[in-house]
Amino acid sequence: AKQSLDEWAESDSHKFQRLLVQPMIGRCYLDLAKTVLLPNSFCDQIFDSTISSNVIPESRLPSWKFNNNDKPMQSSQDGVIAYLLRDHTNLLPHPRLPIDTTKTPTVISVEIKPKAGYITRSPLVLPENRCKYYRTRYSLQQDLMQRGIIRKGWTKDTESSGQLIASNYSPLDLFSGSRQRIHKALKELSNNMQNNFRVWCNGNQIFGEYIQPSNHECSVILDMMFRGFETINSSTECDSSARLLDSITTTLTNILERETLLPNVQRIQLLDVIDGDGAVKIYQRLVNLCMGSQNDADELLDGESLCIREVSRSGDCEGDRLLASSPYEMPKCDHLCNFL
């Protein structure tokens, strides 16, 4: 029987976002993807053009390669199921705001990767990794990148590991709730953007790692944002790039201090009570209990996921979300609990 688009729509990842992530972050802060059906030939063209464009870092190319037996996408004879997200780099003006028909609306979009805004308290952290108890994961990764021990996909191949400048950004500042510390965090992000801070103007990226507009381009953007800026500063020497970034970070500070987005995101982050070290140890213990069989351990974990999905269909949920505010309150799955 042919599977309808509606049946494909509720994938595990889509359901996870709808039932758990969106209610916890806030429905006004997270758009759910729209399910669309793309022709197979179109997806083949996208895949081939992306591979040949050389925009994928070498470290990530292996994940793009697959065997004939693999199923990289949800596909059928009718096409490939894809998820369409709104383009937030080029938004239409709000219908209730007055529109000046003599000027093109200016849309400034900022992408921030906030990282983990907490320090782990997990008792399962390995003894050799106890620096996690007093340093953020982000600062540890910055040190490792500066020493050349790890390398990120966004770094250019021509760069030697010793040339990387570690960022002074602290996620603890961004999630602090303090206006001064939020602004400090955003300034540090804009001073050393790496791949954690990007800015678009009307759909065109203007700031990012290796991307820097000229002073003239920044003056034009500032003039579109603040009428008369270019005229006022035409006779003075000023760094329009720095002024534009300062205007953006100041505006962002006002928004993030007012909104509940960051506290909501941090609430989700704090559900991690075992840390990565603990996750590895728990998985190793599960494999050991399965007589060394990773396949059996994976089947148990898949069954746990299936159990939670079944609970979401039953009466153990409120509205459209599961009744759980911490990992300890997640629905109990008897087959896994009894096994352990």
Side-chain angles (χ1 to χ4, degrees):
K2 185 184 293 185
Q3 198 164 22
S4 68
L5 192 63
D6 291 337
E7 291 174 324
W8 276 106
E10 275 293 287
S11 66
D12 288 346
S13 60
H14 192 275
K15 186 175 296 183
F16 176 76
Q17 292 185 45
R18 181 174 65 84
L19 294 178
L20 291 177
V21 179
Q22 193 187 54
M24 295 185 73
I25 288 184
R27 299 186 185 280
C28 60
Y29 297 128
L30 179 64
D31 290 334
L32 291 178
K34 180 181 179 181
T35 307
V36 295
L37 185 66
L38 301 178
N40 289 315
S41 58
F42 177 71
C43 294
D44 289 338
Q45 292 177 9
I46 292 179
F47 180 84
D48 293 336
S49 62
T50 304
I51 293 295
S52 60
S53 66
N54 296 322
V55 298
I56 304 175
E58 185 177 352
S59 60
R60 296 181 182 175
L61 276 176
S63 64
W64 282 74
K65 299 177 181 178
F66 55 90
N67 301 321
N68 292 331
N69 295 329
D70 294 336
K71 188 178 181 183
M73 295 176 286
Q74 295 180 344
S75 60
S76 66
Q77 293 181 351
D78 298 326
V80 175
I81 300 297
Y83 299 102
L84 182 65
L85 288 169
R86 182 182 299 176
D87 181 6
H88 288 278
T89 67
N90 204 344
L91 298 176
L92 294 175
H94 194 281
R96 293 186 179 181
L97 293 178
I99 300 177
D100 187 350
T101 57
T102 63
K103 298 187 68 175
T104 303
T106 303
V107 177
I108 301 294
S109 304
V110 182
E111 175 189 283
I112 297 174
K113 295 180 180 177
K115 308 301 181 179
Y118 67 99
I119 294 178
T120 185
R121 298 178 181 177
S122 170
L124 301 177
V125 171
L126 297 175
E128 60 268 28
N129 294 338
R130 286 179 179 169
C131 55
K132 290 182 177 182
Y133 287 138
Y134 56 88
R135 293 188 60 182
T136 64
R137 186 172 184 268
Y138 179 76
S139 68
L140 292 171
Q141 285 196 334
Q142 289 292 304
D143 280 354
L144 293 174
M145 289 170 60
Q146 192 173 35
R147 298 177 190 177
I149 298 175
I150 62 174
R151 184 188 177 109
K152 294 294 185 178
W154 54 265
T155 56
K156 285 186 176 180
D157 295 334
T158 55
E159 284 187 336
S160 64
S161 57
Q163 291 177 325
L164 180 82
I165 300 176
S167 172
N168 292 322
Y169 163 69
S170 172
L172 300 181
D173 287 335
L174 186 66
F175 287 93
S176 66
S178 164
R179 175 183 174 81
Q180 290 74 20
R181 293 181 65 185
I182 293 174
H183 189 254
K184 178 179 182 293
L186 294 175
K187 292 293 289 184
E188 293 294 351
L189 278 175
S190 64
N191 288 337
N192 191 348
M193 298 182 187
Q194 299 184 8
N195 71 329
N196 303 317
F197 189 90
R198 298 173 183 170
V199 181
W200 284 262
C201 179
N202 295 334
N204 299 313
Q205 188 174 353
I206 57 174
F207 285 109
E209 190 71 7
Y210 315 120
I211 298 177
Q212 179 78 24
S214 66
N215 270 340
H216 173 70
E217 291 172 322
C218 292
S219 295
V220 172
I221 295 172
L222 282 165
D223 186 53
M224 291 190 296
M225 295 171 60
F226 309 103
R227 188 174 301 178
F229 172 86
E230 194 172 23
T231 304
I232 295 173
N233 294 280
S234 59
S235 60
T236 61
E237 294 184 2
C238 66
D239 187 349
S240 297
S241 176
R243 193 177 284 254
L244 177 57
L245 271 178
D246 184 66
S247 299
I248 292 172
T249 54
T250 300
T251 303
L252 276 175
T253 300
N254 294 333
I255 294 172
L256 293 177
E257 182 194 22
R258 180 184 68 237
E259 298 292 330
T260 60
L261 173 61
L262 289 178
N264 293 349
V265 170
Q266 189 179 47
R267 185 160 61 98
I268 296 178
Q269 292 181 347
L270 291 175
L271 295 178
D272 175 17
V273 295
I274 60 175
D275 187 70
D277 289 355
V280 172
K281 297 298 290 184
I282 292 173
Y283 180 74
Q284 290 174 344
R285 174 60 176 162
L286 184 59
V287 171
N288 180 262
L289 291 172
C290 291
M291 307 301 293
S293 172
Q294 290 189 5
N295 289 334
D296 290 348
D298 290 343
E299 286 181 7
L300 279 172
L301 293 174
D302 290 341
E304 177 83 356
S305 175
L306 177 62
C307 173
I308 293 177
R309 291 201 300 270
E310 291 299 328
V311 170
S312 71
R313 296 191 188 103
S314 67
D316 294 333
C317 53
E318 180 182 83
D320 257 353
R321 65 184 181 86
L322 292 175
L323 290 175
S325 58
S326 79
Y328 305 109
E329 298 176 14
M330 292 301 290
K332 302 296 187 298
C333 296
D334 293 337
H335 68 280
L336 182 57
C337 294
N338 293 335
F339 183 83
L340 294 177

